Amino acid sequence: MASLITFASPISRALLFPSKLTACSLDSSPDSKNLAVSRNGSAFRPVIASAVTNSSQIQFPSETESAKVSAVPILSCSEAIERLRTFREVYGSNQQFLAMYSSIFGGITTDPTAMVIPMDDHMVHRGHGVFDTAAILDGYLYELDQHIDRFLRSAAMAKIKPPFDRESIRSILIQTVSASKCKTGSLRYWLSPGPGDFQLSPAGCLQSSFYAIVIEGQSPPSFKGVKVVTSSVPIKPPQFASVKSVNYLPNALSKMEAEENDAFVGIWLDEDGYIAEGPSMNVAFVSKEKELLMPQFDKILCGCTAKRILTLALGLVKEGKLKGIRLGNLTVEEGKEAVEMMLVGSGILVCPVVQWDDQVIGDGNEGPVTRALYNLVLEDMKSGPPTVRVPVPY
C-alpha cells in the first residue's frame, strides 16, 4: 500500500484510508453478483463481477449485450475498497494519477484507489465548487501563483471560504507534487463547501474541503493545426463564465459537439454575437495588419496563459513581427478573415487553428506568429523568471 503523508487536518476525524484496511461490520453475500462498470474507449459499459473480487473473475458483456443483475451484495469496508482497486486495475486509464491531497483525511496518498471524495460533498451532488490547475515541466510548476490567485478569486465569487490560508494552500500543492515525484504533468486542485448532507444550501456542511491531484503528462503538446466549429451550445452568462467552477456541462457538450463534427473544439460567441472563448481555452488572432487580437476578459474566464501570452507578445512587437496588441470585441467576420488563429491555455499552450467551420484560416497552415508565441511560452516554462517558475523539492 502506498504511504499516506499527513498534515494537520481542518476536520477532526480518522483517516478514511489507513495504511491497513480493517473490515466494517457489514457482511457480504458470497453467492451474489454485483453490477460494476468498465470503460471501453471514451464510453463506460457494465460488467458482472463476482463477490470474490479478482480481476480474472470479471466478465465483460459484448457491446450489444446488456448486463443482468440477480442480486446486489452488501459489502464490508475492506471488500468495497478491494473492488474499487480491482476496478482501477481492470478498466485502466489513459492518465496516471500519481498523488492526491485531501483535507478530509488530512494528507497525501499515492494509491489511486484512495483518491476519492465523499458523495455528500456539495461539489459532487450540487456542482458547488471551484478548481484550477498548473502545469509541471522539468520539475517546476508554471504560473502556480497566478493560478492560485485566480483560484481564490473564484472561491470568493462562489462564496466558499477556504479551510487554509493562501500560503498553506501553496505549500500543500508543492508538497503534493513532491510526493508524486512527477517531473512533467499537471496539478489540479479543487475547493468545495465540503460534505455534510444532500441539501441545496451548504449551511449543513461542517467545513470546506480542499483537494489536489497530480496527473502524469507527456512532453509539451505538439504544434499542429486543428479545426474548430462555432458552438451551438449556449455560453454561460458572464457571472458564471468568469468563475472557474466545476459546472462544466456546457463546456463538455460544446467539446462533444465539436468532436461529432470532426473538429477539435467549439468556439463560443457571447450574447451580442462577438467571439468569446473555447470550452477550456482562450482564443486569439493575427489580423492582416499584423495585430494580435484577443477578446476582452469581461465576459469570459481570464486565462492565465492568455495573459502571459500578451506579455510575451510585446517582444514580437519590438522585433517587428507584430505591429500591435489589441483586446476588445471581435466579430466572427474579423476572426475568419484573420491570417492566423490560435487557441491558448495551460493544457495546450498555443495551438494553431487552420480552419473555422468551412473557412480556411490564412493559407491553411500553422502561422509564424502562432509558432513564435508557442516557442516563447515553452521557453518561458523552461527558463522563465522565478515569478512564473516554482521549483519542486523532490
Side-chain angles (χ1 to χ4, degrees):
M1 174 75 70
S3 62
L4 186 73
I5 303 169
T6 61
F7 296 103
S9 173
I11 300 177
S12 178
R13 60 173 67 181
L15 300 182
L16 294 184
F17 298 99
S19 57
K20 291 186 178 180
L21 295 171
T22 56
C24 300
S25 60
L26 296 178
D27 294 326
S28 62
S29 170
D31 298 321
S32 61
K33 292 187 175 182
N34 178 49
L35 177 63
V37 178
S38 176
R39 193 170 78 174
N40 179 24
S42 60
F44 283 88
R45 60 193 176 98
V47 304
I48 298 296
S50 66
V52 182
T53 309
N54 182 313
S55 60
S56 64
Q57 295 175 303
I58 303 292
Q59 302 173 9
F60 292 86
S62 67
E63 291 297 318
T64 58
E65 179 185 1
S66 297
K68 295 181 180 179
V69 181
S70 58
V72 179
I74 299 175
L75 304 175
S76 69
C77 180
S78 58
E79 287 172 327
I81 293 298
E82 189 56 37
R83 286 194 174 207
L84 180 58
R85 186 181 306 283
T86 300
F87 172 75
R88 284 284 188 191
E89 294 172 353
V90 171
Y91 90 83
S93 175
N94 58 1
Q95 292 183 322
Q96 294 297 315
F97 314 128
L98 303 180
M100 177 190 176
Y101 170 82
S102 170
S103 63
I104 297 295
F105 50 72
I108 299 168
T109 179
T110 56
D111 185 347
T113 304
M115 297 179 188
V116 296
I117 64 176
M119 275 296 297
D120 60 338
D121 190 305
H122 279 230
M123 184 167 66
V124 176
H125 64 85
R126 294 299 179 187
H128 190 180
V130 298
F131 78 103
D132 223 301
T133 184
I136 308 165
L137 183 64
D138 297 336
Y140 284 79
L141 280 157
Y142 185 61
E143 289 203 299
L144 175 63
D145 290 299
Q146 292 81 352
H147 283 276
I148 290 177
D149 288 342
R150 184 176 65 180
F151 178 66
L152 294 176
R153 287 196 300 271
S154 293
M157 296 175 73
K159 297 185 177 181
I160 305 173
K161 183 179 179 180
F164 310 107
D165 61 23
R166 187 189 187 284
E167 286 308 307
S168 295
I169 289 173
R170 187 179 190 272
S171 176
I172 289 170
L173 293 176
I174 294 173
Q175 291 182 66
T176 303
V177 177
S178 177
S180 76
K181 304 187 185 307
C182 177
K183 298 297 180 67
T184 299
S186 64
L187 167 69
R188 295 196 180 192
Y189 41 101
W190 296 261
L191 179 66
S192 80
D197 54 37
F198 288 91
Q199 301 299 322
L200 179 60
S201 168
C205 297
L206 181 62
Q207 187 167 12
S208 60
S209 295
F210 179 57
Y211 309 102
I213 195 164
V214 179
I215 306 168
E216 186 177 39
Q218 306 300 319
S219 300
S222 61
F223 186 80
K224 184 178 180 181
V226 299
K227 172 188 173 182
V228 299
V229 293
T230 303
S231 179
S232 69
V233 178
I235 189 173
K236 298 175 188 175
Q239 179 181 356
F240 301 109
S242 57
V243 179
K244 199 167 179 67
S245 76
V246 298
N247 181 9
Y248 259 46
L249 180 58
N251 309 62
L253 293 177
S254 178
K255 173 68 171 173
M256 294 169 68
E257 178 187 52
E259 292 174 342
E260 290 164 0
N261 288 278
D262 299 318
F264 181 54
V265 294
I267 299 298
W268 268 321
L269 309 180
D270 67 21
E271 68 272 18
D272 297 316
Y274 292 113
I275 300 169
E277 60 182 342
S280 60
M281 69 282 291
N282 294 99
V283 60
F285 305 86
V286 178
S287 69
K288 293 177 181 177
E289 294 74 29
K290 292 297 180 181
E291 273 191 313
L292 179 65
L293 310 176
M294 191 178 291
Q296 54 193 0
F297 299 124
D298 58 335
K299 298 179 181 179
I300 59 176
L301 186 69
C302 185
C304 294
T305 306
K307 289 176 66 178
R308 187 62 181 164
I309 283 288
L310 294 173
T311 299
L312 297 174
L314 293 173
L316 299 184
V317 175
K318 292 180 180 179
E319 295 173 7
K321 296 179 180 178
L322 283 173
K323 290 187 177 179
I325 301 170
R326 177 165 62 90
L327 274 70
N329 292 328
L330 302 175
T331 66
V332 173
E333 183 179 13
E334 285 180 287
K336 291 186 175 182
E337 288 182 354
V339 295
E340 296 184 42
M341 178 178 178
M342 66 198 81
L343 304 171
V344 180
S346 60
I348 57 173
L349 302 187
V350 181
C351 177
V353 175
V354 296
Q355 183 177 337
W356 183 0
D357 293 331
D358 296 327
Q359 176 68 49
V360 173
I361 303 298
D363 61 5
N365 296 308
E366 297 86 352
V369 173
T370 306
R371 181 176 291 277
L373 290 172
Y374 172 85
N375 290 334
L376 283 172
V377 173
L378 197 55
E379 181 182 352
D380 200 44
M381 295 178 73
K382 293 180 176 180
S383 58
T387 52
V388 297
R389 297 178 75 239
V390 176
V392 177
Y394 294 97

